Amino acid sequence: MAATLCEMATNFQKLDCFDGGNFIRWQRKMHIFLTTLNIGYVLTDARPEENENETLQDTRKRKRKKWENNDYVCRGCILNGMSDSLFDTYVHESTAKELWDKLEARYMNEDATSKKFLVTRWNNYKMIDNKSVMEQFREIEKLLNSFKQYDMKMDESIVVSSIIDKLSHAWKDFKRTLKHKKEDISLENLANSLRLEEQNRVENEKELKVQVSDVHVLEEGTSS
């Protein structure tokens, strides 16, 4: 039992506290945690019924007692994995399954709404000229990671093509070059290409400023 409690404490520290967001991810982590403790079965297996006519009555009682104990621990783990406000809302659910079902009924729908919002954000995202391309690329990567949290998968070639389309007007020539490549471009290769191009543009801009400065110095020397 001591080893089990130690394992429970160690694994529990790895869990995010559920505050109403990213339910699917939290639910999966919690289910893995409960399964590791061998108590997750109470979410699917019904409580063993009492039956005085059973010849193996003592065995039935032991199984029922074990289920009740595991259900209590399971319910406690789920509640303790929630924020204080949600704990207060759901603490009165009598079994782990009732608690689990209540959470699914509410937050699965909210996650569905979040998915629609995420797709809208992706479709409407456009890069701008007065901001680093790589900084904007990292913002896009965060959006893509959010898709993964919801198990929303997109083909990499479609993702790459979409990101190229999001490049700003100042990158129209580079965009055209990328689109005319015959071979498929991976997301990693696209990131490297954008990084190198941005570095080259920064260097060219510095050189141009130096040249302009030199011209001004020459003009001032001539006029004097």
Side-chain angles (χ1 to χ4, degrees), residues 25-56:
R25 180 177 60 185
W26 174 84
Q27 184 190 45
R28 286 176 177 168
K29 287 185 176 182
M30 178 59 72
H31 192 271
I32 292 172
F33 173 63
L34 298 173
T35 302
T36 301
L37 297 178
N38 295 319
I39 58 176
Y41 73 91
V42 300
L43 299 175
T44 54
D45 296 357
R47 177 180 180 272
E49 297 292 337
E50 294 185 26
N51 189 340
E52 294 182 358
N53 295 325
E54 288 284 350
T55 55
L56 299 177

Side-chain angles (χ1 to χ4, degrees), residues 18-195:
F18 179 58
D19 58 3
N22 295 320
F23 173 71
I24 294 177
R25 180 177 60 185
W26 174 84
Q27 184 190 45
R28 286 176 177 168
K29 287 185 176 182
M30 178 59 72
H31 192 271
I32 292 172
F33 173 63
L34 298 173
T35 302
T36 301
L37 297 178
N38 295 319
I39 58 176
Y41 73 91
V42 300
L43 299 175
T44 54
D45 296 357
R47 177 180 180 272
E49 297 292 337
E50 294 185 26
N51 189 340
E52 294 182 358
N53 295 325
E54 288 284 350
T55 55
L56 299 177
Q57 187 176 5
D58 290 341
T59 302
R60 293 282 182 180
K61 283 183 178 180
R62 284 196 296 271
K63 286 184 178 180
R64 187 161 55 250
K65 186 64 176 178
K66 179 183 177 182
W67 188 97
E68 290 171 349
N69 288 338
N70 286 339
D71 181 68
Y72 179 81
V73 176
C74 183
R75 175 176 164 275
C77 288
I78 296 171
L79 287 169
N80 285 319
M82 300 161 68
S83 65
D84 289 344
S85 59
L86 290 179
F87 178 95
D88 293 340
T89 301
Y90 291 99
V91 68
H92 301 295
E93 300 300 328
S94 58
T95 67
K97 179 170 174 52
E98 288 179 6
L99 171 59
W100 196 253
D101 289 347
K102 283 280 183 69
L103 292 172
E104 279 194 339
R106 175 177 178 182
Y107 292 104
M108 280 293 193
N109 289 334
E110 291 192 8
D111 268 1
T113 302
S114 297
K115 288 181 182 180
K116 294 177 182 178
F117 176 70
L118 186 59
V119 170
T120 300
R121 283 184 62 197
W122 172 264
N123 290 336
N124 292 340
Y125 190 99
K126 294 293 181 183
M127 293 190 186
I128 56 178
D129 289 332
N130 59 347
K131 190 174 181 180
S132 164
V133 164
M134 289 312 299
E135 184 178 342
Q136 295 176 85
F137 185 85
R138 285 189 286 273
E139 291 176 353
I140 290 175
E141 283 186 314
K142 289 180 180 178
L143 279 176
L144 290 172
N145 286 333
S146 296
F147 275 98
K148 291 178 182 178
Q149 291 175 13
Y150 291 110
D151 267 351
M152 300 167 67
K153 299 177 182 179
M154 287 193 293
D155 185 84
E156 186 175 24
S157 61
I158 296 176
V159 171
V160 169
S161 178
S162 179
I163 294 175
I164 293 173
D165 284 334
K166 294 178 186 299
L167 289 169
S168 67
H169 180 73
W171 288 66
K172 62 178 182 179
D173 292 335
F174 188 74
K175 183 192 297 188
R176 188 180 302 112
T177 300
L178 291 175
K179 285 192 169 184
H180 281 82
K181 285 182 175 292
K182 293 183 179 180
E183 68 277 7
D184 288 337
I185 307 174
S186 68
L187 192 60
E188 183 180 358
N189 288 340
L190 175 62
N192 291 333
S193 296
L194 293 175
R195 185 181 299 106

